[in-house]
Amino acid sequence: MTDYNAPLKDMLFNIHELSGLDRVLKLDRFADFDNEVVDQVVEEAGKFAAEVLSPLNIPGDEAGCTVLDKGVISPPGFADAYKQFIENGWQGLEVSPEFDGMGMPGVAGAAAAESWQSANMAFSLAPMLTSGAIYAIEKHGSAEICATYLPNMTGGGWTGTMNLTESQAGSDLAVVSTKAVPEGDHYRISGTKIFITWGDQEFSENIIHLVLARLPDAPEGVRGMSLFIVVNDDGSIGERNDVYVPSIEHKLGIHGSPTCVMAFGENDGAIGYLVGEENKGLACMFTMMNHARLGVGLQGVAISERAYQLARSYALDRVQGKAPGVKGSVTIIHHPDVRRMLLVMKSQIEAMRSAAYYTAGAQDLAHHSDDEAERAAAGRRVALLTPVIKAWPTEVSLELTSLGIQIQGGMGFVEETGASQHMRDAHILPIYEGTTGIQALDFVGRKILGDEGQAMAELIAEMRGLDGALADDERLAEIRASLSDGIDQLQTATEWLLQQGPLDPNAAGSASVNLLMLAGTVVGGWQMALAGLAIVNGAAADDPAFAEAKLITTRFYAQHILPRGRGLAIAAMAGPDSVMALSEDLF
Ligand SMILES: Cc1cc2nc3c(=O)[nH]c(=O)nc-3n(C[C@H](O)[C@H](O)[C@H](O)COP(=O)(O)OP(=O)(O)OC[C@H]3O[C@@H](n4cnc5c(N)ncnc54)[C@H](O)[C@@H]3O)c2cc1C
């Protein structure tokens, strides 16, 4: 079984040294919590992941889900695991006590979610979507709606789903065509949504669908969308609503998670209730999506960690070939190239974890600080980093789960080891919640050009501000030099974008993904530098092996990963010429 104690140390190190938790715990909202409680919660979440969720991961992949009489049955064991999950109160971990939640800091929630996602991504998508729905309802629902739905969702008796996508409306949600017709105190919803994660299952009493739809007289495009709650009651609580799942998708990965076609209103129209104001659904939707984007980024960290653990065990065990200075055959971890692959995995996982937890900490400040300036600064940082945290770890997870297979050679390619499942499961991450291309457009468009580079300038200045402290210790020389170079690349590429973006309509689009990946790589380097600095300043002094390992992964990241930034910057600044030159018929 996967060893969840292995990442636990790194999780706790990141939580306490790098996420800003100390400051977060001083906020009124979190007055009831201290470091010890956070540690206990993270450890218990890891145990639940290892003991309950992890054993269901491979069987869930093999069994998949089935549709019976327009209702979905989840893989064997999932219903019982869900019962235990909600009995432990996990669904309410971050939810406000006002709605029966525990109200824990987001950093604790992020670390707990990482363990669950690592153990069983297909299962953990269900609570992740419920969290996003809770969050959106809390922010945009009326007092009555909040009181009706949130306590039941917090307890996990009711799950939540997100219904945006239609066959003609994927990345482009402006063309959503599901209809909502007013009728008394409610609306009648009709239309077909596709690809809806956990759109149905048998293990919760009720399902609360958040559905994006259009009123009859709504303006065209994104300004004409509204958000509705459609309750999937099967008749046991109220009246059977007109929403069914005619089919689910057969897909590359996450077989344990049903991806549903949702038929709303095929008969009389499904009854729905408005969340927020009419035609203001976009804002509600973004609340839900931004929440989910950070969650999906963490899934990238989580699946990479699991792939790493499997690859590491194999490398420590598999005997093959000879190594200089060692008698007889050796385990493959002796070979420099296998070590390189493992370190490409380990160092990037640590950097991505740290960046994701840091962003979760900033989000706590953005939401709950009583200092207006602090709230605003944290809000700008979260907005800038959200597309980066969604896209960079998920793209890297494809590289790392692939390396996980490569390290295991042929055994990685056969299904029984589980390595290929990680790669299959990871493949959805750069697609849903907005593809990498869409995240990158948000990053260069709204987040950099949109504020004339202010938020990026603040980030760059803060990252540069670390240089003096790094200069004080020889052990940080490599990360200091490499980070400084990475920041230079990021600054130069950002300046290029600010100059070229307004001049050429294709400049931003052709540079966008490279610029986003550059930002992720450099932010990861910044986090690794901070981690190294914490270690030389005495953090983890009680665990010299961990401290030594961290300094080594920091050095490896400086030498092997941060230099990728140069290539990314060159490609970003090459401009759109060659990208746009080839005529369509020559592709
Ligand atoms: C397993 C699974 C689960 C899902 N779960 C949910 C869910 O719970 N709820 C929900 O509402 N949806 C869900 N989705 C839908 C998912 O969010 C969409 O698939 C995703 O947003 C991409 O849309 P699309 O598939 O239509 O691709 P398209 O929009 O057709 O994109 C195809 C390609 O074109 C690129 N592209 C498109 N437009 C642009 C542009 N303007 N600029 C640059 N590049 C562009 C994309 O980046 C992509 O590479 C799920 C999908 C899957 C496969």
Side-chain angles (χ1 to χ4, degrees):
M1 191 193 290
T2 315
D3 174 16
Y4 283 92
N5 289 319
L8 183 61
K9 274 185 190 157
D10 196 54
M11 287 174 164
L12 295 178
F13 171 81
N14 279 302
I15 288 173
H16 296 301
E17 301 298 333
L18 305 171
S19 75
L21 182 68
D22 277 355
R23 170 68 193 123
V24 167
L25 288 176
K26 291 199 175 78
L27 304 179
D28 284 352
R29 158 80 185 237
F30 304 115
D32 291 344
F33 303 109
D34 56 22
N35 285 312
E36 214 175 306
V37 177
V38 170
D39 287 4
Q40 278 167 3
V41 164
V42 173
E43 281 174 40
E44 285 304 314
K47 257 191 228 157
F48 185 81
E51 290 166 10
V52 180
L53 301 183
S54 180
L56 298 174
N57 193 45
I58 292 178
D61 179 60
E62 287 168 353
C65 302
T66 36
V67 185
L68 291 180
D69 195 20
K70 295 185 178 175
V72 174
I73 306 295
S74 63
F78 275 37
D80 184 53
Y82 186 74
K83 191 162 165 271
Q84 293 183 55
F85 184 84
I86 63 175
E87 277 170 2
N88 285 337
W90 289 122
Q91 187 66 61
L93 192 63
E94 287 179 63
V95 183
S96 160
E98 195 189 337
F99 301 111
D100 299 349
M102 288 186 235
M104 292 282 291
V107 179
E114 187 196 322
S115 290
W116 301 328
Q117 298 289 354
S118 211
N120 194 328
M121 213 171 92
F123 173 92
S124 304
L125 271 163
M128 183 179 127
L129 280 154
T130 304
S131 291
I134 290 174
Y135 188 63
I137 293 172
E138 188 184 346
K139 284 269 170 288
H140 300 284
S142 63
E144 194 192 343
I145 282 197
C146 289
T148 307
Y149 296 99
L150 292 185
N152 285 310
M153 295 175 80
T154 304
W158 298 1
T159 54
T161 72
M162 189 166 82
N163 292 249
L164 315 177
T165 307
E166 298 174 6
S167 57
Q168 81 294 353
S171 299
D172 185 5
L173 291 170
V175 293
V176 156
S177 69
T178 294
K179 287 191 179 54
V181 178
E183 185 185 270
D185 70 341
H186 58 262
Y187 297 77
R188 289 280 175 180
I189 313 289
S190 56
T192 303
K193 297 285 180 181
I194 62 165
F195 293 164
I196 305 309
T197 299
W198 284 108
D200 194 37
Q201 33 72 16
E202 78 289 19
F203 54 65
S204 69
E205 281 176 335
N206 210 341
I207 305 176
I208 308 306
H209 303 293
L210 287 177
V211 183
L212 207 56
R214 218 173 256 294
L215 294 164
D217 54 354
E220 283 191 1
V222 288
R223 291 186 201 292
M225 292 187 309
S226 308
L227 192 69
F228 300 88
I229 282 180
V230 175
V231 179
N232 190 52
D233 206 322
D234 62 1
S236 56
I237 296 177
E239 296 226 333
R240 177 63 167 105
N241 208 351
D242 188 6
V243 45
Y244 295 96
V245 174
S247 61
I248 56 175
E249 306 296 342
H250 298 278
K251 53 196 194 290
L252 180 65
I254 51 166
H255 293 154
S257 161
T259 303
C260 304
V261 173
M262 305 292 300
F264 291 95
E266 280 194 336
N267 304 307
D268 305 326
I271 293 177
Y273 298 94
L274 184 70
V275 180
E277 289 176 44
E278 287 186 348
N279 297 331
K280 296 273 167 63
L282 190 68
C284 310
M285 193 190 78
F286 267 112
T287 302
M288 192 161 57
M289 284 176 63
N290 283 331
H291 185 275
R293 283 174 176 176
L294 296 177
V296 174
L298 264 170
Q299 289 187 303
V301 180
I303 195 88
S304 302
E305 172 66 47
R306 186 168 183 143
Y308 171 71
Q309 289 181 30
L310 197 63
R312 181 199 55 186
S313 306
Y314 190 83
L316 288 167
D317 195 47
R318 169 75 171 159
V319 175
Q320 201 71 192
K322 310 264 186 259
V326 185
K327 260 195 177 167
S329 297
V330 295
T331 49
I332 59 170
I333 200 154
H334 284 78
H335 303 310
D337 188 53
V338 173
R339 300 174 71 89
R340 177 194 62 78
M341 289 191 281
L342 285 167
L343 278 162
V344 166
M345 296 180 84
K346 184 171 165 60
S347 66
Q348 288 193 93
I349 290 165
E350 289 177 11
M352 297 187 304
R353 172 179 293 128
S354 184
Y357 289 10
Y358 162 77
T359 308
Q363 196 165 43
D364 281 337
L365 294 180
H367 291 159
H368 302 296
S369 173
D370 43 20
D371 176 339
E372 203 181 316
E374 184 178 48
R375 237 182 12 248
R380 284 196 299 280
R381 183 60 53 84
V382 172
L384 178 72
L385 290 184
T386 295
V388 178
I389 297 299
K390 158 57 171 84
W392 162 60
T394 59
E395 286 288 334
V396 171
S397 78
L398 301 187
E399 177 196 2
L400 302 194
T401 53
S402 170
L403 281 177
I405 291 179
Q406 186 68 10
I407 288 166
Q408 295 172 74
M411 287 309 287
F413 192 69
V414 301
E415 285 286 348
E416 73 192 69
T417 59
S420 57
Q421 185 192 343
H422 301 148
M423 189 174 161
R424 288 189 288 101
D425 286 354
H427 251 284
I428 188 55
L429 302 177
I431 297 173
Y432 61 19
E433 285 310 330
T435 61
T436 299
I438 295 301
Q439 303 304 320
L441 281 185
D442 176 43
F443 183 60
V444 295
R446 263 196 221 101
K447 307 299 167 57
I448 300 182
L449 290 167
D451 82 343
E452 295 174 350
Q454 284 309 307
M456 180 59 100
E458 284 172 11
L459 173 65
I460 286 176
E462 190 173 340
M463 292 195 294
R464 284 205 193 283
L466 192 62
D467 190 69
L470 297 175
D472 288 342
D473 196 302
E474 237 337 270
R475 288 170 291 174
L476 302 175
E478 276 105 342
I479 190 73
R480 181 186 175 215
S482 195
L483 177 61
S484 170
D485 187 57
I487 299 170
D488 287 347
Q489 306 301 325
L490 182 59
Q491 182 160 5
T492 309
T494 305
E495 282 163 3
W496 177 90
L497 173 74
L498 288 167
Q499 203 183 40
Q500 293 299 311
L503 301 179
D504 183 337
N506 290 318
S510 57
S512 58
V513 169
N514 285 316
L515 220 146
L516 179 145
M517 293 303 284
L518 168 61
T521 307
V522 174
V523 166
W526 174 46
Q527 291 296 309
M528 291 304 275
L530 284 164
L533 189 62
I535 295 288
V536 301
N537 285 337
D542 57 342
D543 190 346
F546 176 84
E548 186 192 352
K550 183 62 85 179
L551 286 176
I552 293 169
T553 48
T554 298
R555 214 164 77 226
F556 183 89
Y557 194 94
Q559 293 175 337
H560 290 253
I561 307 297
L562 263 169
R564 294 178 180 186
R566 283 195 161 241
L568 290 165
I570 290 168
M573 294 186 292
D577 287 358
S578 62
V579 173
M580 301 310 291
L582 204 61
S583 65
E584 278 176 38
D585 53 340
L586 288 178
F587 271 94

